[in-house]
Amino acid sequence: MEGGGAAGAGGRDQASSPAQRRESRRLPDFLQSVNLKYVKLGYHYLITHLLTLLLIPLMVVILLEAAQTDPNDLRQLWLHLQYNLVSVLVCSAFLVFGTTVYIMTGPRPVYLVDYACYRPPPNLRVPFPRFMKHSQLCGEFNESALEFQRRILERSGLGQETYLPSALHYLPPRPSMASAREEAEEVMFGALDALFRNTGVKPKDIGILVVNCSLFNPTPSLSAMIVNRYKFRGNIKSFNLGGMGCSAGVISIDLARDLLQIHRSTYAVVVSTENITQNWYFGNRKSMLIPNCLFRVGAAAMLLSNRSADRWRAKYKLVHVVRTHRGADDRAFRCVYQEQDDAGKVGVSLSKDLMAIAGEALKINITTLGPLVLPISEQLLFFATLVAKKLFNGKVKPYIPDFKLAFEHFCIHAGGRAVIDELEKNLQLRPDHVEASRMTLHRFGNTSSSSIWYELAYTEAKGRMRKGHRVWQIAFGSGFKCNSAVWQALCNVKPSPDGPWEDCIHRYPVEIVDGFPPQPPHEQ
């Protein structure tokens, strides 16, 4: 989906005017910035801790009164309780019963024990020159289509080490059903092998399996392929989600969470991937060529648990999932659309309205998510601005809540450079907040629904995840959907063995530049 966003990326670095250069040489107005900064921080602290601040005087008064109480009064109170022992026992029984019922019927916590991302072998890498050479030699694209793909690659934010499936490395390409199955098995089994190896969980212990892949849905299903490979037990609850786009990973997590509320003491495995082999577009319609330039091989497998014993070894706890679906709107429904072009060739078409539609979906999603995660101070500021805007006929500038107060880490789906740029701008994030997304796009490309897990792995590989930190995963997908998942770290999280960044994290972050980067020695 988000490949369309990257089409608008690049070409932004214009020569600055003399006035801008003069402005850049000036020191900032520290008096204004510092005052405003601390006024806001103070307001945030006051409102967030208002209840505590009110309770402190009350506790002081209670302690003073208790200190002045006569010992005879305390003795009389004790005797009174002894004579009313039955009432005390009944009240205690009701309290214990109510607490037990609440614990038994309340939502069960869901833990992310661990996850694994597939790292393809080096022979599947596709540097820009190789990509363009294959596109030219396959004979399917005219000169205009080739030039368009070259320009998209230059502005995409992708690096030289992204991967395409083996079938597309042949000349001519071999997009057969057998090759597509081979790609699916390689990425899914690769991620699952690492997951089971790192967690020590046996496949027979898995009670729930959810697999999502939008564009490749064979018979038997992908979930059945996994059951067959790992010999899962016969009563496993398995689900296969198709056609739900890049946000399907969060949908799968939500489905697994709901199932874990019903089935006690259970492990759930979620597999998120996309299949490229049979979905490569061999035509010349430009709106359908963008996915060729951005989508790359990838997969992630997650192990979820509702067992209390897993609380102590799990990496994260699932806090919230918020899903937004704009499918009732025709424009949103058709903005990412699989269809045939005039020559009868199938591909996924990306609308020019894609970014605007994504913005509308994001607005709805964060409006729902905000009250769940933002501190009271931000909610009051947002509400006050909204009321003022209504009273003054829209002359008041809208207030954008500061989500940096709610989250330490952001995993924005690496769908395209423009998507990351726009979210950084509109959510007022710093460059370090979107570093994981930019570097994932550079190293692995758009791996669809699994990209948010490569981003989380990047944050862990950098050693930045600390106990109590909150993570916001946000993804967009066809339909049109915007989905969010919020996690909280249960420990100082270290990267798992054989992680996707293990061989290259020392080289990141890198500077993202437009154009074809120089080839490494082994590619020349």
Side-chain angles (χ1 to χ4, degrees), residues 282-320:
F282 292 99
N284 293 300
R285 185 187 292 182
K286 292 180 179 178
S287 64
M288 301 170 77
L289 282 168
I290 297 172
N292 285 11
C293 301
L294 299 179
F295 281 86
R296 296 294 184 264
V297 170
M302 289 66 70
L303 179 66
L304 304 176
S305 173
N306 58 10
R307 303 183 183 196
S308 57
D310 287 319
R311 160 74 173 79
W312 309 108
R313 69 167 182 149
K315 286 186 171 183
Y316 303 92
K317 176 183 176 182
L318 182 59
V319 183
H320 301 292

Side-chain angles (χ1 to χ4, degrees), residues 369-445:
L369 180 67
L372 300 175
V373 298
L374 288 169
I376 297 284
S377 61
E378 289 298 300
Q379 297 186 45
L380 290 179
L381 278 171
F382 180 76
F383 179 74
T385 307
L386 187 64
V387 172
K389 190 175 182 180
K390 293 290 184 182
L391 293 176
F392 295 101
N393 298 320
K395 295 180 180 180
V396 178
K397 185 178 179 181
Y399 177 72
I400 300 176
D402 189 356
F403 279 92
K404 297 188 294 294
L405 296 173
F407 305 108
E408 286 76 24
H409 306 284
F410 298 80
C411 294
I412 300 168
H413 166 53
R417 186 173 172 180
V419 174
I420 301 171
D421 288 345
E422 288 302 311
L423 263 71
E424 179 183 10
K425 175 184 175 182
N426 290 312
L427 295 179
Q428 300 177 351
L429 303 178
R430 300 191 305 269
D432 59 293
H433 288 133
V434 296
E435 180 184 315
S437 299
R438 292 194 190 282
M439 297 308 106
T440 295
L441 181 64
H442 181 271
R443 177 64 181 84
F444 294 100

Side-chain angles (χ1 to χ4, degrees), residues 10 77 157 165 233 292 300 315 319 325 338-339 377 413 506 523:
L77 178 61
R233 62 198 197 203
N292 285 11
K315 286 186 171 183
V319 183
H325 203 310
Q338 188 179 27
E339 59 184 346
S377 61
H413 166 53
H506 61 282
E523 294 293 348

Side-chain angles (χ1 to χ4, degrees), residues 112-144:
L112 176 61
V113 179
D114 204 352
Y115 65 97
C117 299
Y118 174 68
R119 187 175 66 207
N123 64 292
L124 296 184
R125 288 176 182 169
V126 53
F128 292 176
R130 180 184 295 179
F131 179 97
M132 291 306 304
K133 182 178 179 181
H134 274 62
S135 295
Q136 184 178 14
L137 292 178
C138 76
E140 299 288 344
F141 305 107
N142 60 32
E143 287 300 322
S144 176

